[in-house]
Amino acid sequence: MNILDQETIIELFRNYYLLFVACLFLGTFCLTFYVIPKVLWVSREKNLTAPVNERSAHIVETPSFGGVAFFITLILVFSIIQSLRLGYVGNHLIAAISILFLVGLKDDLVISTARVKLFGQITAACFLIFSPELQITSLYGFWGIYEIPEVLGYCFTALLI
């Protein structure tokens, strides 16, 4: 039995739902707990720390790559969940999160302008706004509104995001 086989993951999910979720949570916790010190060590060794200045909220130099560990873990978890084939929203989330990660990483390495960060955030948001799985087509009777036009649904999704 190959634990990484897509059919095996689906079978484990269906037969042992609570155990599967608990193992996924525990595995995610352990991976993050293991990776964070490694990433922080590399940041300190390569002198990739955020200095204290007027923009910072911290009082000592802080490694600025802690988010790398969370990104790695988050992408792995989304990939495992995506393999369950419950929907395709994970693909859009992975794309959006990757764009935000790259924009943030660039900002950590060299200071980015507000325009570059805003462009990256808008691009990431567009992956979610135009995701067919996240498209809002009905308010299900809220305020007496059932069906809404497609364009209004995109506008409402954009407002929420």
Side-chain angles (χ1 to χ4, degrees):
M1 174 166 95
N2 183 358
I3 192 71
L4 296 178
D5 181 49
Q6 195 171 35
E7 295 301 322
T8 304
I9 292 174
I10 291 171
E11 184 179 329
L12 287 173
F13 177 74
R14 288 183 182 148
N15 295 334
Y16 307 102
Y17 176 75
L18 289 177
L19 182 63
F20 182 85
V21 171
C23 288
L24 188 64
F25 177 78
L26 184 63
T28 303
F29 175 79
C30 291
L31 181 64
T32 306
F33 191 76
Y34 176 76
V35 172
I36 285 176
K38 307 296 184 217
V39 169
L40 296 180
W41 178 79
V42 169
S43 294
R44 286 190 184 102
E45 286 295 313
K46 298 296 182 183
N47 199 23
L48 299 170
T49 56
V52 178
N53 58 24
E54 65 279 349
R55 284 183 59 203
S56 61
H58 49 274
I59 56 175
V60 295
E61 278 195 355
T62 306
S64 55
F65 289 98
V68 171
F70 292 108
F71 173 75
I72 291 168
T73 305
L74 192 62
I75 294 300
L76 287 173
V77 168
F78 275 144
S79 298
I80 290 171
I81 292 172
Q82 189 62 31
S83 70
L84 296 173
R85 291 185 253 166
L86 300 175
Y88 296 103
V89 80
N91 293 334
H92 302 284
L93 282 172
I94 289 172
I97 289 170
S98 297
I99 290 170
L100 290 177
F101 171 73
L102 291 173
V103 168
L105 189 64
K106 182 192 180 282
D107 188 44
D108 285 343
L109 291 171
V110 293
I111 302 298
S112 295
T113 64
R115 180 175 287 150
V116 169
K117 290 189 258 187
L118 180 64
F119 179 74
Q121 291 170 353
I122 290 171
T123 304
C126 284
F127 273 96
L128 299 177
I129 292 168
F130 297 110
S131 169
E133 288 78 21
L134 295 177
Q135 186 177 11
I136 298 173
T137 57
S138 174
L139 294 183
Y140 302 101
F142 184 67
W143 286 340
I145 302 171
Y146 288 92
E147 192 171 322
I148 58 175
E150 187 175 344
V151 173
L152 189 60
Y154 285 130
C155 293
F156 191 58
T157 304
L159 178 69
L160 290 174
I161 289 176

